Amino acid sequence: MAAASLAASRPSGLALTAAASLRDPAASASTSLRVQHPSAGNPGPMRAVRHVATNAVAEEQPVVAEAAAPVAEAELKRGIAEFYDESSAVWVEIWGEHMHHGYYPEPNQNASSATNGSASNGSAINGVATSGNGSAVSGGSVDHFTAQVEMIERVLAWATADDGEGWKPKRVVDVGCGVGGSARHMARKYGAQVDAITLSPWQAAHGNQRCKDAGLAQQVRLQVADAMAQPFDDATFDLVWSLESGEHMPRKAQFVRELARVAAPGGRVIIVTWCHRDLLPGETQLAAGEQALLQRICDAYYLPAWCSPSDYVQFAKDAGLQRVRVADWTDNISLFWPAVMRSALTPKGIWGLLSSGWKTLKGAVAMLWMVQGYNSGLIKFALITAHKPESS
């Protein structure tokens, strides 16, 4: 949801694969791409590795990438930045500072009174109804602002359950930070210094103004940077946080390696991201209809190839991370996309979409496909966490 700080993503209509180098349409939904550049340890022309998801150890099949791939990645990176520059203002106007799913402890609760101040027992925060009792679902109303904050709290509690109650990071990085909602929350919660990165200049500027308004300008800093090549030294952060930005990363194994690189020894990495389902025994790829659905979502949201939760577990282990855990919270976010669709159909939402431009309108249409993907079991809302060893 937030603008990922990524090496590249796909602009809609270009129908490219993860690194714009494979012309196989099916590959965009069933494979991911890792580009290897020439170096002393990797001589010769740039190559790409197509990753075929399996339930066992991932298989890698080398294929030759086009020489123009770096140019394509730069073009794609501009596209994702433009998408969020264009669409973030309308999101913030309606939904506020958190650009991610909410957590709903009662996933089957009716959300008919969910948005725009319609909850009977509460008020509206940034245009989102609140029930006034600190619970996301209460008395037939749904408080989506609280649900989004609860998502942050629940993820942190789940990921750090084995760290003890006294665990308190001093330095945090929010990778793909949107306008910094999570970054400011963690700064307040832990008293930590938080760096936050996004590809979107609009998000960085708006987020820094929010930090200033909140009295957090000396504690939280947003900047435009690339998640695949972060502007931080090795072993810098006690907590490396990526909430719904991994889906934008075209080379997800490299993305996880970069998260591990900037984590301090003993530090924790947390990834919350959209995945496709794990493949079943005997499957080598997703069904054609599933691939087609993911392709439509990719074209609308500037996403490269998807991967499975099991893939992320393997990427984390390959990056040298330990104590890797994974969870599926798909059931607990089921109220979110229908609520976003309803908010888009309000007068404020319609005007915001029309004034934002074509990219934002395409993203609005794709919400229907996201709901279809979740309801069919194709799309999973996955959590992955791991520790960096104290010493290597």
Side-chain angles (χ1 to χ4, degrees):
M1 299 294 298
S5 308
L6 57 147
S9 289
R10 183 216 331 272
S12 57
L14 291 183
L16 299 170
T17 61
S21 57
L22 301 176
R23 296 308 183 201
D24 175 8
S28 65
S30 61
T31 66
S32 58
L33 201 68
R34 183 165 72 243
V35 176
Q36 299 176 339
H37 296 276
S39 65
N42 179 35
M46 184 180 71
R47 298 178 64 81
V49 174
R50 184 185 302 187
H51 169 74
V52 181
T54 67
N55 282 337
V57 177
E59 301 175 5
E60 292 185 335
Q61 305 171 352
V63 295
V64 177
E66 297 179 3
V71 176
E73 288 205 1
E75 180 181 337
L76 296 173
K77 183 166 64 173
R78 286 193 299 271
I80 195 72
E82 291 170 359
F83 174 79
Y84 283 105
D85 280 348
E86 178 181 290
S87 63
S88 294
V90 64
W91 178 275
V92 170
E93 175 68 18
I94 296 174
W95 281 82
E97 65 177 340
H98 296 294
M99 304 182 73
H100 57 80
H101 284 76
Y103 180 94
Y104 306 92
E106 301 175 38
N108 295 320
Q109 180 73 35
N110 189 312
S112 62
S113 59
T115 59
N116 296 309
S118 60
S120 59
N121 297 326
S123 59
I125 299 177
N126 294 318
V128 180
T130 67
S131 60
N133 62 3
S135 175
V137 180
S138 177
S141 65
V142 180
D143 174 354
H144 295 287
F145 182 85
T146 296
Q148 288 175 303
V149 174
E150 188 167 357
M151 175 62 75
I152 301 170
E153 282 292 307
R154 294 254 185 171
V155 170
L156 289 169
W158 172 81
T160 63
D162 58 350
D163 290 319
E165 293 184 4
W167 183 80
K168 197 173 184 179
K170 295 180 180 178
R171 291 206 63 185
V172 177
V173 62
D174 185 349
V175 180
C177 63
V179 297
S182 296
R184 285 183 292 277
H185 183 89
M186 290 185 286
R188 296 186 186 101
K189 179 180 178 69
Y190 296 121
Q193 289 294 129
V194 183
D195 286 278
I197 58 175
T198 172
L199 276 182
S200 165
W202 189 95
Q203 288 186 341
H206 181 85
N208 280 326
Q209 183 61 52
R210 280 179 171 259
C211 292
K212 182 179 179 181
D213 295 343
L216 293 171
Q218 300 303 313
Q219 198 175 342
V220 181
R221 183 172 74 99
L222 283 72
Q223 62 178 303
V224 176
D226 186 342
M228 306 289 281
Q230 298 175 34
F232 308 118
D233 293 336
D234 294 356
T236 297
F237 300 102
D238 306 309
L239 173 58
V240 179
W241 171 270
S242 170
L243 177 56
E244 296 188 54
S245 62
E247 53 269 17
H248 284 293
M249 308 300 168
R251 292 171 284 139
K252 291 177 174 59
Q254 171 58 30
F255 168 58
V256 176
R257 286 196 295 270
E258 185 67 356
L259 298 182
R261 180 188 70 79
V262 300
R268 176 170 291 284
V269 174
I270 301 174
I271 304 168
V272 182
T273 188
W274 312 348
C275 291
H276 68 62
R277 64 174 177 83
D278 286 321
L279 297 182
L280 300 174
E283 286 186 317
T284 59
Q285 62 182 9
L286 297 171
E290 293 176 316
Q291 294 183 35
L293 178 61
L294 293 183
Q295 180 70 55
R296 290 195 293 271
I297 296 170
C298 287
D299 289 340
Y301 288 139
Y302 294 72
L303 306 181
W306 297 55
C307 70
S308 70
S310 295
D311 292 329
Y312 265 109
V313 170
Q314 189 62 51
F315 297 153
K317 292 178 178 178
D318 291 344
L321 298 175
Q322 299 178 350
R323 294 157 60 188
V324 182
R325 291 189 289 125
V326 64
D328 177 0
W329 284 10
T330 306
D331 287 345
N332 295 106
I333 54 87
S334 61
L335 298 182
F336 183 74
W337 284 97
V340 175
M341 288 191 290
R342 282 191 297 275
S343 70
L345 296 176
T346 63
K348 181 186 290 186
I350 293 171
W351 174 251
L353 290 173
L354 292 176
S355 61
S356 294
W358 175 240
K359 294 184 179 69
T360 306
L361 285 170
K362 287 188 68 176
V365 172
M367 292 189 288
L368 293 168
W369 302 327
M370 287 295 298
V371 171
Q372 180 182 348
Y374 278 128
N375 289 344
S376 68
L378 169 61
I379 298 177
K380 300 297 182 180
F381 190 83
L383 286 69
I384 303 95
T385 189
H387 280 87
K388 187 170 183 176
E390 292 284 356
S391 59
S392 57

